[in-house]
Amino acid sequence: MTTIIPTRHVPSSPAPGDLVAAVRGRQVLVDGALRPATLHVAGGRITAVAGYDDPVDGFVLAAPDHAYVLPGVVDTHVHVNEPGRTAWEGFASATRAAALGGVTTLVDMPLNSIPPTTTTWGLAAKRRAATGQLSVDVGLWGGAVPGNLDDLRPLWDAGVMGFKCFLSPSGVDEFPPLGPVGFDAALRAVAAFDGLVIVHAEDPAVLADAPVRPGGAYRDFVASRPHEAETAAIARVVAGARETGCRVHVLHLSSARALDLLADARAEGLPVTVETCPHYLTFDADAVPDASPAYKCCPPIRDAGNREALWDGLRDGVIDVVVTDHSPATAEEKLRGDGDLQQAWGGVAGLQVGFQAVAHGAAARGIDVAQVSRWMATSTADLVGLTHKGRLAVGADADVLVLDPRVPLRVVAAELAHRNAISAYDGLELSASVTATVLRGRVVTRDGAVTAGTGELLTRP
């Protein structure tokens, strides 16, 4: 287990919430490699990266020799849903779950809250709702919807990380999709100030033509969201980047059939990035039980061959980042239709376990934890310009997690900190646990205990 080692006559066991002067381990991720090191901390930042035995005046968070000391995860795709749908999730519960899973920074999506973050007024409402509730740091996305072109620059100036849009219906009336003309207009508007547009890329025409069969058969649900819905929409996103020069990011890639298209866009030099999610890397359609809405998400979890191709896309550098797309709902919404997957709310709750799930899957495929950290901490931080996050380096925020491979994790949905105890990960056996999380030098979780109220609201640098 993770311990706090005192030096120079300081108390032996600080309470959760106390500051540490250093974090020490035999396997600390520094400059892309694991090595013995002591990270000195002051003022919430890493002030020096020294040798393992370097003296420290103050509390030292010392990881076991076999454990990994990694930068805190930066999860840029989380649906907190507060205000307005706080029964689905909220800032207090979401950030507590994040801290327990080693996530020290999350970026909240602009929809499912009421009002959505599509105006500066909506942004102010979101910030008011978050105040005093945060266990980790939180940034906010803005939204691009029909009729809010004039709101985009003010939102950007107010510090949102970029703008989410849908090309197909979002599922909530207050966040409608952009049609082709509106999408192009939003890209041009955002390109004018070098902003970022992040896109839920499913083509509405393909979805409209797909077979929709009510019921609980998971294969029928997958057939209603075919690969072509993603490939057609991603082709549209790539074309938009080419036409306008706008930076674009494809959200929650499910279909590996789009990888060649994305690789070609990268080779062309277009400003296109892409993410995938732990549930697409962990599960496969053939193993998803019928009438189990905990697994329902859009786009859907696909077959095992597709899953392995997504892992290949990560290895090859075509996929840039991995994020959870934590999108919970109440039991009433998730179980609506009594197992009818067409009626149930779509979204996988995985914020607390996503990092451990990806680390587990990566290890099974011979991928080291340093690479997982790059996908889920460094590259995600860079995506939103938070270059003082997601790395263990002098000047960076002292955001740290300890991953212990000798403490296996059996996921029990009822024991997760998410507000609603429904998760596709329920019952999963994972090979390692996050046993400590440090936010800007303060211990926020240690062996399951959490200190609330330590997080801050972030604005785009």
Side-chain angles (χ1 to χ4, degrees):
M1 305 295 280
T2 303
T3 57
I4 298 288
I5 296 179
T7 62
R8 302 192 186 182
H9 309 294
V10 296
S12 61
S13 182
D18 282 350
L19 293 167
V20 296
V23 179
R24 173 176 288 153
R26 294 287 182 186
Q27 300 189 83
V28 183
L29 183 59
V30 178
D31 294 330
L34 295 165
R35 63 177 175 86
T38 298
L39 307 174
H40 290 264
V41 177
R45 300 269 178 143
I46 297 171
T47 57
V49 178
Y52 180 82
D53 295 318
D54 203 56
V56 179
D57 186 8
F59 290 123
V60 179
L61 176 65
D65 288 354
H66 59 269
Y68 303 106
V69 177
L70 308 169
V73 171
V74 179
D75 191 343
T76 56
H77 195 151
V78 178
H79 293 267
V80 174
N81 304 331
E82 187 175 11
R85 289 189 175 91
T86 309
W88 295 22
E89 189 63 283
F91 283 106
S93 53
T95 59
R96 179 182 173 88
L100 287 165
V103 178
T104 52
T105 303
L106 64 84
V107 187
D108 175 45
M109 284 292 166
L111 74 156
N112 298 344
S113 56
I114 302 173
T117 316
T118 54
T119 63
T120 53
W121 175 80
L123 176 63
K126 177 75 75 171
R127 286 174 170 163
R128 285 194 300 271
T131 301
Q133 295 205 71
L134 307 180
S135 297
V136 302
D137 288 350
V138 173
L140 302 171
W141 292 109
V145 295
N148 85 325
L149 272 181
D150 291 341
D151 295 292
L152 301 181
R153 183 59 190 255
L155 281 165
W156 182 254
D157 291 343
V160 300
M161 303 296 175
F163 304 92
K164 180 175 187 176
C165 68
F166 281 74
L167 302 186
S168 56
S170 71
V172 292
D173 292 341
E174 64 274 5
F175 205 97
L178 293 174
V181 173
F183 180 61
D184 287 345
L187 292 183
R188 291 191 183 92
V190 174
F193 50 81
D194 194 30
L196 174 66
V197 174
I198 63 175
V199 188
H200 181 124
E202 288 183 288
D203 185 270
V206 175
L207 294 177
D209 289 341
V212 177
R213 299 183 181 90
Y218 187 73
R219 64 181 175 274
D220 288 343
F221 171 66
V222 175
S224 74
R225 320 287 298 204
H227 289 275
E228 292 74 21
E230 288 189 80
T231 56
I234 290 170
R236 180 71 192 87
V237 172
V238 169
R242 182 182 297 113
E243 293 162 8
T244 67
C246 186
R247 293 188 293 133
V248 296
H249 178 73
V250 175
L251 297 168
H252 45 50
L253 180 71
S254 158
S255 175
R257 295 184 189 178
L259 289 173
D260 287 346
L261 174 63
L262 290 161
D264 289 346
R266 191 76 50 84
E268 190 180 337
L270 298 178
V272 179
T273 53
V274 60
E275 69 188 34
T276 194
C277 304
H279 43 278
Y280 300 133
L281 298 170
T282 301
F283 304 111
D284 72 87
D286 290 337
V288 172
D290 287 342
S292 298
Y295 296 86
K296 178 186 175 180
C297 54
C298 299
I301 296 163
R302 303 190 189 275
D303 61 85
N306 182 86
R307 178 189 63 196
E308 297 310 312
L310 291 176
W311 279 104
D312 289 341
L314 283 163
R315 288 189 186 94
D316 295 342
V318 179
I319 301 174
D320 302 273
V321 299
V322 181
V323 296
T324 64
D325 187 12
H326 175 70
S327 186
T330 61
E332 179 183 12
E333 290 293 328
K334 201 66 179 157
L335 303 176
R336 188 174 57 204
D338 193 25
D340 183 348
L341 296 178
Q342 295 298 338
Q343 295 187 50
W345 180 261
V348 172
L351 179 58
Q352 187 171 332
V353 298
F355 173 74
Q356 293 100 308
V358 176
H360 176 92
R365 293 165 175 82
I367 301 169
D368 67 18
V369 73
Q371 179 62 72
V372 176
S373 184
R374 283 189 284 273
W375 291 330
M376 301 190 75
T378 312
S379 295
T380 44
D382 291 348
L383 175 69
V384 292
L386 297 176
T387 54
H388 60 296
K389 299 283 190 182
R391 66 213 73 216
L392 303 180
V394 173
D397 279 3
D399 297 346
V400 183
L401 69 87
V402 176
L403 183 72
D404 193 330
R406 294 189 186 173
V407 183
L409 173 64
R410 184 177 187 274
V411 181
V412 178
E415 297 175 359
L416 296 174
H418 310 154
R419 178 152 293 174
N420 293 282
I422 301 172
S423 176
Y425 297 93
D426 188 35
L428 205 64
E429 303 278 353
L430 302 175
S431 54
S433 295
V434 172
T435 57
T437 305
V438 176
L439 176 68
R440 285 179 279 101
R442 189 179 302 276
V443 179
V444 290
T445 71
R446 183 161 57 93
D447 299 332
V450 182
T451 299
T454 56
E456 297 180 354
L457 276 170
L458 306 176
T459 58
R460 178 183 45 77

